[in-house]
């Protein structure tokens, strides 16, 4: 990892394109990459010995487009033998375009068909067909093979792809292939910069003097030397000590490109293919995904409860199929399915995966992730309807739908980032548009983090609050929250809107319908005065509620109603879970007396001497003082704050 240098401005502006090879074994993919780049991508001794590609290989190719700008192509050479299809799949996730390699002497073979199907399932829309080994056949045979290839490509994503004849042995057609690749690269849309950084890893090894090195195709975001990354699935935090792009030391790398990272904080046996590096605390792994499935023409339909193998980027896992719809087969253009993954994966909406049946092993379909974090315990019909809306929505509406399905609980910004994969800046922009349109509202949540709630559930919450207050005439804030079951943040938002509109009136913690005075009958008022006087005189050693009822000759039920009024008006404060209460004035004086001793410590015994209380009254009172942060408890020794 030597020779780090900062790329100049022109190089930073150069387009980066990820190009994959595809095709049957021994059709010349590796030889083609070598003649284009000078790099032999067969690096393993077994590959040299057997003369076949077993694992992924990587090479770089720089081209110039018609405007004179540099194109940096990262070539991923994949194995063509069916026995190594899992290695092939680890290299195809996230590539931009494909060179489909077909030998002139053999034509279309089994892995030609499967590899093309995989490209289609992964949503790869652009490519070149390279007709290799033209030196091994006659012109007549070449023309016949070309015609059969054209027929094979009909009604596929490569139906209009150029076919470039090449001889890697003689060099025929190599210049034309370079030109075709440059034209193809210009057609590739720019990668979206809306998503958080994610790097699926395909290799890990150790270099003496440097330690652990990993490689992968940077799918989104950027990487910088010194940056801290989170390793999935371990959650370990790692630091980037060095960074290379195709052997050249860099300070910064931007997606899409092939990168090698020298990492601090991990041993080589603790990281490898199938792991993913990401911006810390941005995305979270999932074991349940809702997907849109496309099946191959001759594949059997998926069955409810079936086990299937899922390949996503460099990861793979088994999954259980749960059908939302009656049948998902090739006759239907697509179907909505839930996959319960055996191993957690780091996925975001829009990611593609390949589905393979376990026995006999074969590619049967592909999946596009719609939702990587479905809430638990939702009914199947409602989930299906929500997914159908999500599938056809624009990006802003997708965010609104995610907020809406969280109902009155709302959702935090961090949870929305994990659900969507959007960067904070992109998500905040979309939330701002929804906020200005009145479609969502921000509520103050825990740790000063905003929680977002959609307009419809907030309006329902407002109606519920107004109804329970109107039914009772007046209630304390705690009573309202208990009756409607709202979070503190959403309840506060509802109360603010109702008071601002003049429908409710708030006095301290008491909430009542606007224009309706709190009516207390005179007999009840006299009872309240008597009870309040009794507690005021009792000081810090008040009687239990049952004792008060006996002294005043009142029924326990009536006495509880009186106590409720006194609690609402903040004249009494409940002590612990027993029916014990202390007058507010008494507590206020105790707070003041204690704060004269700020910083001092005391135990229960000293507090009993200070107040003259028994343990029966001292313990609930001390717990109250801890709760209101007049004191802090440390294993029985309290400090006055």
């Amino acid at each position: 990892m030597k020779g780090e240098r900062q790329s100049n401005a022109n190089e930073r502006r150069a387009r980066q394109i990820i190009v994959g090879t595809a095709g049957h074994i021994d059709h010349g993919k590796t030889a083609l990459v070598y003649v284009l780049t000078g790099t032999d991508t067969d690096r393993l001794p077994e590959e040299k010995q057997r003369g076949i590609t077993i694992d992924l290989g990587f090479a770089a190719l720089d081209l110039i487009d018609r405007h004179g700008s540099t194109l940096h192509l990262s070539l991923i050479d994949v194995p063509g033998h069916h026995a190594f299809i899992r290695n092939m799949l680890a290299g195809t996730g996230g590539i931009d375009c494909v060179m489909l390699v077909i030998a002139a002497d053999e034509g279309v073979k089994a892995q030609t068909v499967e590899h093309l199907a995989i490209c289609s399932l992964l949503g790869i829309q652009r490519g070149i067909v390279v007709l290799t080994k033209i030196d091994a056949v006659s012109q007549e045979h070449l023309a016949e093979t070309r015609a059969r290839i054209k027929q094979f490509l009909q009604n596929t994503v490569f139906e209009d792809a150029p076919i470039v004849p090449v001889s890697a042995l003689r060099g025929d057609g190599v210049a034309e292939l370079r030109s075709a690749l440059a034209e193809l690269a210009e057609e590739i849309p720019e990668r979206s910069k809306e998503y958080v950084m994610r790097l699926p890893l395909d290799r890990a090894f150790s270099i003496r003097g440097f330690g652990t090195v990993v490689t992968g195709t940077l799918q989104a975001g950027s990487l910088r030397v010194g940056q801290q990354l989170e390793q999935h699935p371990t959650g370990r935090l790692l630091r980037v000590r060095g960074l290379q792009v195709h052997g050249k030391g860099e300070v910064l790398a931007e997606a899409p490109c092939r990168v090698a990272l020298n990492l601090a904080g991990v041993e080589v046996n603790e990281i490898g293919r199938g792991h993913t590096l990401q911006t810390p605390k941005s995305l979270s792994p999932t074991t349940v995904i809702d997907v849109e499935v496309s099946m191959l023409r001759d594949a059997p339909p998926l069955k409810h409860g079936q086990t299937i193998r899922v390949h996503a980027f460099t990861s793979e896992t088994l999954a259980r199929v749960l059908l939302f719809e009656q049948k998902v087969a090739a006759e239907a253009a697509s179907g909505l399915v839930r996959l319960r993954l055996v191993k957690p994966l780091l996925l975001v909406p829009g990611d593609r995966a390949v589905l393979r049946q376990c026995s006999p092993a074969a590619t049967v379909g592909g999946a596009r992730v719609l939702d990587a974090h479905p809430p638990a315990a939702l009914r199947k019909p409602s989930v299906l309807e929500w997914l159908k809306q999500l599938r056809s929505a624009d990006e802003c509406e997708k965010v609104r739908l995610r907020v809406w399905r969280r109902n009155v609980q709302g959702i935090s910004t961090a949870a929305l980032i994990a659900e969507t994969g959007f960067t904070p800046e992109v998500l905040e922009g979309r939330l701002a548009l929804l906020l200005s349109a009145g479609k969502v509202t921000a509520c103050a949540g825990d740790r000063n983090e905003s929680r977002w709630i959609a307009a419809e559930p907030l309006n329902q919450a407002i109606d519920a609050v107004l109804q329970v207050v109107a039914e009772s005439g007046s209630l304390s804030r705690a009573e309202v929250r208990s009756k409607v079951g709202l979070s503190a943040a959403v309840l506060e938002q509802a109360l603010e809107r109702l008071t601002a509109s003049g429908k409710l009136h708030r006095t301290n913690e008491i909430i009542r319908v606007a224009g309706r005075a709190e009516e207390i009958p005179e007999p009840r008022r006299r009872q309240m005065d008597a009870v309040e006087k009794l507690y005021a005189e009792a000081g810090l050693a008040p009687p239990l509620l049952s004792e008060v009822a006996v002294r005043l000759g009142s029924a326990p039920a009536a006495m509880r109603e009186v106590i409720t009024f006194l609690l609402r008006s903040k004249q009494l404060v409940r002590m612990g879970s027993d029916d014990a209460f202390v007058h507010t004035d008494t507590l206020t004086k105790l707070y003041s007396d204690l704060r004269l001793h700020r910083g001092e410590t005391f135990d229960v015994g000293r507090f009993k001497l200070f107040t003259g209380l028994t343990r029966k009254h001292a313990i609930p009172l001390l717990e109250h003082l801890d709760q209101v942060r007049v004191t802090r408890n440390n294993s029985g020794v309290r400090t006055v704050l």
Side-chain angles (χ1 to χ4, degrees):
M1 305 293 291
K2 296 182 179 178
E4 286 187 1
R5 62 177 177 80
Q6 186 167 2
S7 300
N8 60 44
N10 288 335
E11 288 176 319
R12 284 198 298 269
R13 285 195 296 269
R15 288 286 311 278
Q16 300 269 8
I17 309 294
I18 310 298
V19 183
T21 66
H24 199 74
I25 183 173
D26 201 30
H27 277 205
K29 296 185 294 298
T30 303
L32 188 65
V33 172
Y34 180 79
V35 78
L36 284 170
T37 67
T39 299
D40 182 2
T41 54
D42 282 349
R43 53 186 169 77
L44 301 176
E46 187 180 355
E47 291 176 318
K48 303 291 188 185
Q49 181 181 353
R50 297 176 62 180
I52 62 171
T53 299
I54 295 172
D55 204 356
L56 302 175
F58 309 98
L61 175 63
D62 286 353
L63 299 174
I64 304 298
D65 67 15
R66 57 184 170 177
H67 304 293
S69 300
T70 302
L71 297 167
H72 292 316
L73 274 59
S74 297
L75 304 185
I76 301 179
D77 185 28
V78 304
H81 196 289
H82 68 88
F84 308 118
I85 190 69
R86 293 164 72 176
N87 290 344
M88 180 269 179
L89 287 164
T92 52
I95 64 177
D96 296 307
C97 56
V98 167
M99 287 193 297
L100 180 62
V101 180
I102 305 176
D105 57 344
E106 290 193 331
V108 175
K109 302 289 284 184
Q111 290 309 110
T112 314
V113 177
E114 184 169 19
H115 284 203
L116 178 60
I118 287 169
C119 292
S120 175
L121 295 170
L122 290 173
I124 300 166
Q125 299 292 323
R126 293 174 174 83
I128 294 174
V129 179
V130 186
L131 187 54
T132 57
K133 301 187 179 183
I134 61 173
D135 54 280
V137 298
S138 66
Q139 288 298 316
E140 292 78 9
H141 188 96
L142 180 62
E144 291 175 5
T145 302
R146 186 177 186 128
R148 286 196 293 269
I149 291 172
K150 289 289 288 183
Q151 185 177 10
F152 163 67
L153 295 174
Q154 286 181 2
N155 301 317
T156 73
V157 290
F158 284 4
E159 183 173 14
D160 298 321
I163 299 176
V164 182
V166 171
S167 169
L169 183 64
R170 297 191 312 224
D172 300 351
V174 174
E176 290 79 359
L177 178 57
R178 288 174 179 269
S179 297
L181 282 170
E183 290 180 16
L184 176 65
E186 285 188 80
E187 297 174 3
I188 304 300
E190 291 272 4
R191 281 282 179 103
S192 171
K193 298 185 183 299
E194 295 184 336
Y195 296 94
V196 297
M197 194 286 296
R198 198 162 37 133
L199 176 64
L201 302 180
D202 45 51
R203 285 185 70 203
F205 50 93
S206 182
I207 298 179
R208 180 172 296 179
F210 292 94
T212 301
V213 176
V214 297
T215 68
T217 302
L218 184 59
Q219 298 296 335
S222 60
L223 284 169
R224 186 181 296 274
V225 173
Q227 184 175 351
Q228 192 176 62
L229 303 175
E230 182 179 352
Q231 176 193 2
H232 165 76
T234 66
R236 184 187 287 114
L237 294 179
L238 312 175
R239 183 173 57 83
V240 179
R241 287 198 294 212
L243 187 159
Q244 287 187 356
V245 177
H246 285 301
K248 296 179 180 179
E250 301 283 359
V251 173
L252 175 70
E254 295 182 331
C257 64
R258 289 289 307 170
V259 296
L261 304 181
N262 179 205
L263 296 176
V266 64
E267 298 297 325
V268 70
N269 62 347
E270 298 173 324
I271 194 167
R273 179 173 295 179
H275 289 196
T276 303
L277 300 180
Q278 63 154 341
T279 305
K281 297 182 179 179
S282 54
L283 305 178
S284 56
T286 180
T287 56
V288 180
I289 55 175
D290 291 339
V291 300
E292 182 179 36
V293 165
S294 300
M295 302 298 289
L296 295 180
R297 181 176 302 171
D298 298 326
L302 292 179
K303 297 178 181 178
H304 191 76
Q306 174 183 352
T307 297
I308 203 160
R309 189 171 293 278
V310 178
H311 295 260
F313 299 104
T314 62
S315 301
E316 62 173 284
T317 183
L318 293 175
R320 183 166 175 255
V321 175
L322 303 174
L323 299 182
F324 285 117
E325 299 169 299
Q326 191 67 28
K327 187 169 72 170
V328 179
E331 292 77 26
S334 62
L336 298 174
V337 170
R338 172 163 290 180
L339 298 176
R340 292 196 179 276
L341 310 176
V342 172
K343 183 176 71 176
L345 300 181
L346 206 64
L347 298 170
V348 301
D351 284 348
R352 300 270 186 166
V354 173
L355 306 180
R356 305 195 83 228
Q357 69 182 17
C358 298
S359 181
T363 300
V364 294
R368 181 172 68 95
V369 177
L370 296 177
D371 188 18
H373 293 279
L378 291 181
R379 294 175 62 84
K380 184 189 290 187
S382 62
V383 175
L384 179 58
E385 180 59 32
W386 186 85
L387 289 172
K388 288 179 177 178
Q389 293 180 53
L390 187 76
R391 182 168 55 179
S392 58
D394 61 30
E395 294 303 329
C396 256
E397 176 63 8
K398 286 177 181 177
V399 174
R400 189 199 71 82
L401 284 168
R402 292 183 182 281
V403 176
W404 172 82
R405 71 166 169 176
R406 297 293 176 165
N407 207 352
V408 293
Q409 289 77 29
I411 185 171
S412 68
T413 302
L416 274 174
I417 291 172
E419 278 199 16
T420 62
F422 292 142
T423 65
E425 296 76 17
V426 168
L427 186 60
E428 286 165 9
R430 293 197 169 133
L431 286 168
L433 290 173
L434 293 169
L435 186 64
S436 64
K439 295 181 178 180
V440 299
T441 298
C443 303
D446 297 335
R447 301 182 297 277
N448 297 320
E449 183 182 31
S450 293
R451 290 192 72 82
W452 300 89
I453 181 171
E456 299 92 328
L458 179 58
N459 290 336
Q460 293 168 6
I462 290 170
D463 292 343
V465 170
L466 182 60
Q467 182 178 346
V468 299
V469 176
E471 288 173 353
S472 302
S474 70
L475 291 171
S476 69
R477 189 180 187 281
E479 288 172 320
V480 174
R481 184 179 178 187
S482 174
K483 286 177 179 291
V484 296
L486 298 174
S487 68
V490 175
L491 175 61
E492 188 59 33
Q493 185 71 220
L495 291 174
E496 284 180 8
R497 295 205 178 188
L498 286 167
T499 53
S501 64
K503 294 179 179 178
L504 292 184
H505 179 73
R506 299 173 71 176
T507 304
N508 295 325
E509 290 292 296
I510 302 303
I511 302 159
R512 64 176 183 271
V513 177
R516 185 190 301 179
E518 188 171 19
E519 299 175 2
I520 303 176
E522 185 57 32
R524 182 58 44 80
R525 178 73 67 184
R526 287 196 298 270
Q527 275 186 317
M528 288 173 59
D529 291 342
V531 172
E532 182 191 357
K533 180 181 179 183
L534 194 153
Y535 277 104
E537 292 173 349
L540 294 173
L544 294 176
L545 181 58
S546 57
E547 297 170 342
V548 173
V550 171
R551 288 191 198 183
L552 298 179
S554 297
M559 190 56 55
R560 288 189 181 280
E561 191 173 340
V562 169
I563 290 294
T564 298
F565 278 112
L566 292 172
L567 288 171
R568 287 183 188 174
S569 60
K570 298 290 188 180
Q571 290 165 286
L572 294 183
V573 176
R574 186 185 298 275
M575 289 290 111
S577 59
D578 294 330
D579 284 339
F581 308 89
V582 176
H583 199 279
T584 301
D585 293 344
T586 303
L587 286 174
T588 301
K589 183 177 184 306
L590 177 62
Y591 299 160
S592 300
D593 291 346
L594 282 173
R595 281 174 175 143
L596 294 175
H597 303 275
R598 184 173 279 123
E600 296 182 22
T601 59
F602 62 90
D603 58 13
V604 175
R606 188 178 172 195
F607 182 72
K608 287 164 61 179
L609 290 174
F610 178 74
T611 57
L613 297 174
T614 65
R615 187 176 182 85
K616 169 187 172 183
H617 291 104
I619 296 302
L621 187 55
L622 283 169
E623 291 172 350
H624 169 77
L625 292 172
D626 295 337
Q627 187 176 9
V628 297
R629 297 192 59 75
V630 173
T631 59
R632 181 175 62 244
N633 184 13
N634 184 16
S635 301
V637 176
R638 286 173 167 82
T639 303
V640 182
L641 301 177

